[in-house]
Amino acid sequence: MKRFFILFMVVILSTFVLIGCGSDQNAETISQLQATVDDLQNQAGEYSALKTELDSANNSIAELQSQMDALTAEKEEMSAKLEMIYKIEPVNETMYTIADADIYDDLYGEALGNEPTGNIPAEQEIKITGKSIVNDWYEIEMEGKKQYISGSLLSTTKPSGNTGNISNTQQPSGGNGGSGGGTPPADDGDVTGGALSGLPEWGAGGLEDSGYQWNIE
C-alpha cells in the first residue's frame, strides 16, 4: 500500500514539474520538487529493506514456534510416561518378607540410588496398600507414612518359621516299675536262693509277666 502511495506521489510531482516548466516556473522550485522525489525514493528503499528484515524475523519466529511445539509435545509424552511409571494401583493384600528388606520414601528408591529410610526383618507380615503397574515395587504404610519396598524381597506365602517337627523317640524298656517288657540282661550264672541275682523285676508282674522263659536251677 505504501509503495502505491509513493508511486502516486512521484507521478503527481512529475506532473507538477512539467506544469511548472510549461509556465516558466523558476529553476529553484523545480529543484525542490526533484529533491522531494529523491527523498520519497529513499524512503521507499528503506521501507523495502525494513520489510525484508521483518519477513526474516517472521520466518525466525515461525521456526522457533515450530521448535517450541515439538518440545511441548515431547514434554507431554515424557510426562505421560513418568506418570505411568510412577502410577500406583491400589491393592489390599498381605505379604511377607523373605529377607531383611530396606524401605524407601520414594518409589524405586534403591534403583535411583536413594538411601533407605527403614528396614523390615525377615519373615514379617506386611500390609500392602499399592503396587506399581509397570514394575515389581509395592507401597506400604508404616506409622501412617507411605513407604516403598521391592517385590523381590516379598512373598505371598507365609514363612514356616522355626517350628520343626519333633520326632518321637523310643523309650528304653525294662526300667524298674516299667509297664512293658523288654530284653532282659544276660544271665551271668549267679543264682542265689532260686532267684537270679542282680536282675530287676521286669514288667509289672515280675519276670513271668515279661514274656520270657527263664530256667532257674
Side-chain angles (χ1 to χ4, degrees):
M1 184 69 182
K2 190 173 181 179
R3 285 185 175 181
F4 290 122
F5 175 75
I6 294 173
L7 292 175
F8 176 76
M9 291 298 297
V10 170
V11 172
I12 294 297
L13 291 174
S14 299
T15 302
F16 285 159
V17 170
L18 293 175
I19 293 174
C21 291
S23 60
D24 297 329
Q25 189 173 9
N26 58 42
E28 184 177 357
T29 301
I30 295 174
S31 178
Q32 291 177 351
L33 290 173
Q34 186 62 49
T36 302
V37 172
D38 293 340
D39 184 57
L40 290 173
Q41 289 178 343
N42 290 335
Q43 291 182 13
E46 292 176 358
Y47 168 78
S48 179
L50 289 173
K51 187 176 184 304
T52 300
E53 292 180 3
L54 181 60
D55 291 342
S56 177
N58 288 334
N59 291 335
S60 298
I61 292 173
E63 184 178 355
L64 290 173
Q65 185 62 50
S66 177
Q67 293 177 0
M68 285 293 295
D69 292 341
L71 289 174
T72 300
E74 184 177 354
K75 178 183 177 182
E76 291 176 352
E77 182 180 359
M78 290 296 296
S79 297
K81 289 181 178 179
L82 285 174
E83 183 179 357
M84 183 67 66
I85 290 175
Y86 282 92
K87 187 174 182 180
I88 296 294
E89 179 184 14
V91 297
N92 183 14
E93 60 181 282
T94 299
M95 300 184 77
Y96 306 89
T97 53
I98 59 176
D100 289 350
D102 289 332
I103 56 177
Y104 298 85
D105 283 342
D106 302 314
L107 190 62
Y108 315 123
E110 181 180 24
L112 297 175
N114 296 338
E115 291 295 326
T117 55
N119 182 272
I120 301 176
E123 301 184 358
Q124 296 295 306
E125 180 178 300
I126 299 178
K127 188 70 173 178
I128 304 297
T129 59
K131 182 184 184 303
S132 168
I133 66 174
V134 295
N135 272 317
D136 193 27
W137 274 74
Y138 291 85
E139 178 189 84
I140 63 176
E141 284 194 10
M142 301 290 292
E143 299 179 352
K145 180 181 180 181
K146 290 182 178 181
Q147 300 280 288
Y148 301 91
I149 184 172
S150 173
S152 62
L153 301 173
L154 299 176
S155 173
T156 57
T157 304
K158 186 175 182 178
S160 59
N162 297 322
T163 58
N165 293 328
I166 301 175
S167 59
N168 294 326
T169 57
Q170 182 73 26
Q171 294 293 330
S173 59
N176 289 335
S179 61
T183 304
D187 185 1
D188 60 1
D190 184 7
V191 179
T192 305
L196 294 175
S197 174
L199 291 177
E201 295 181 357
W202 291 92
L207 293 176
E208 292 181 356
D209 293 339
S210 65
Y212 292 94
Q213 299 297 323
W214 297 91
N215 294 321
I216 303 174
E217 297 180 357

mmCIF file of all heavy atoms in Angstrom, residues 122-123 158-166:
data_model
loop_
_atom_site.group_PDB
_atom_site.id
_atom_site.type_symbol
_atom_site.label_atom_id
_atom_site.label_comp_id
_atom_site.label_asym_id
_atom_site.label_seq_id
_atom_site.Cartn_x
_atom_site.Cartn_y
_atom_site.Cartn_z
ATOM 1 N N ALA A 122 13.263 -60.190 58.285
ATOM 2 C CA ALA A 122 12.716 -61.301 57.516
ATOM 3 C C ALA A 122 11.534 -61.935 58.245
ATOM 4 O O ALA A 122 11.396 -61.828 59.466
ATOM 5 C CB ALA A 122 13.806 -62.339 57.267
ATOM 6 N N GLU A 123 10.683 -62.562 57.453
ATOM 7 C CA GLU A 123 9.527 -63.319 57.952
ATOM 8 C C GLU A 123 8.532 -62.444 58.720
ATOM 9 O O GLU A 123 7.885 -62.884 59.655
ATOM 10 C CB GLU A 123 9.978 -64.500 58.817
ATOM 11 C CG GLU A 123 10.875 -65.478 58.085
ATOM 12 C CD GLU A 123 11.228 -66.687 58.928
ATOM 13 O OE1 GLU A 123 10.802 -66.733 60.090
ATOM 14 O OE2 GLU A 123 11.928 -67.580 58.428
ATOM 15 N N LYS A 158 3.193 -67.406 53.556
ATOM 16 C CA LYS A 158 3.604 -67.169 54.926
ATOM 17 C C LYS A 158 4.778 -68.077 55.281
ATOM 18 O O LYS A 158 4.721 -69.282 55.045
ATOM 19 C CB LYS A 158 2.443 -67.412 55.882
ATOM 20 C CG LYS A 158 2.762 -67.044 57.328
ATOM 21 C CD LYS A 158 1.519 -67.202 58.204
ATOM 22 C CE LYS A 158 1.816 -66.790 59.648
ATOM 23 N NZ LYS A 158 0.614 -66.899 60.506
ATOM 24 N N PRO A 159 5.865 -67.528 55.827
ATOM 25 C CA PRO A 159 7.017 -68.374 56.171
ATOM 26 C C PRO A 159 6.662 -69.373 57.271
ATOM 27 O O PRO A 159 5.845 -69.093 58.143
ATOM 28 C CB PRO A 159 8.066 -67.360 56.630
ATOM 29 C CG PRO A 159 7.287 -66.155 57.041
ATOM 30 C CD PRO A 159 6.087 -66.116 56.151
ATOM 31 N N SER A 160 7.314 -70.540 57.210
ATOM 32 C CA SER A 160 7.015 -71.592 58.186
ATOM 33 C C SER A 160 7.637 -71.314 59.539
ATOM 34 O O SER A 160 7.228 -71.876 60.540
ATOM 35 C CB SER A 160 7.519 -72.933 57.654
ATOM 36 O OG SER A 160 8.921 -72.882 57.418
ATOM 37 N N GLY A 161 8.630 -70.490 59.602
ATOM 38 C CA GLY A 161 9.295 -70.187 60.872
ATOM 39 C C GLY A 161 10.198 -71.319 61.308
ATOM 40 O O GLY A 161 10.632 -72.165 60.519
ATOM 41 N N ASN A 162 10.478 -71.422 62.617
ATOM 42 C CA ASN A 162 11.397 -72.418 63.144
ATOM 43 C C ASN A 162 10.686 -73.543 63.883
ATOM 44 O O ASN A 162 11.232 -74.199 64.760
ATOM 45 C CB ASN A 162 12.395 -71.773 64.113
ATOM 46 C CG ASN A 162 13.274 -70.756 63.417
ATOM 47 O OD1 ASN A 162 13.675 -70.974 62.277
ATOM 48 N ND2 ASN A 162 13.575 -69.657 64.086
ATOM 49 N N THR A 163 9.413 -73.777 63.578
ATOM 50 C CA THR A 163 8.650 -74.821 64.259
ATOM 51 C C THR A 163 8.802 -76.127 63.517
ATOM 52 O O THR A 163 7.924 -76.569 62.782
ATOM 53 C CB THR A 163 7.170 -74.421 64.324
ATOM 54 O OG1 THR A 163 6.709 -74.223 62.988
ATOM 55 C CG2 THR A 163 6.985 -73.152 65.143
ATOM 56 N N GLY A 164 9.927 -76.794 63.682
ATOM 57 C CA GLY A 164 10.193 -78.065 63.023
ATOM 58 C C GLY A 164 9.459 -79.197 63.717
ATOM 59 O O GLY A 164 9.056 -79.089 64.866
ATOM 60 N N ASN A 165 9.280 -80.337 63.020
ATOM 61 C CA ASN A 165 8.606 -81.480 63.612
ATOM 62 C C ASN A 165 9.501 -82.147 64.640
ATOM 63 O O ASN A 165 10.687 -82.356 64.408
ATOM 64 C CB ASN A 165 8.227 -82.495 62.522
ATOM 65 C CG ASN A 165 7.180 -81.934 61.593
ATOM 66 O OD1 ASN A 165 6.349 -81.143 62.023
ATOM 67 N ND2 ASN A 165 7.215 -82.341 60.325
ATOM 68 N N ILE A 166 8.905 -82.506 65.771
ATOM 69 C CA ILE A 166 9.657 -83.203 66.813
ATOM 70 C C ILE A 166 9.432 -84.690 66.627
ATOM 71 O O ILE A 166 8.313 -85.184 66.668
ATOM 72 C CB ILE A 166 9.187 -82.771 68.215
ATOM 73 C CG1 ILE A 166 9.392 -81.256 68.360
ATOM 74 C CG2 ILE A 166 9.911 -83.534 69.296
ATOM 75 C CD1 ILE A 166 8.851 -80.718 69.661
#
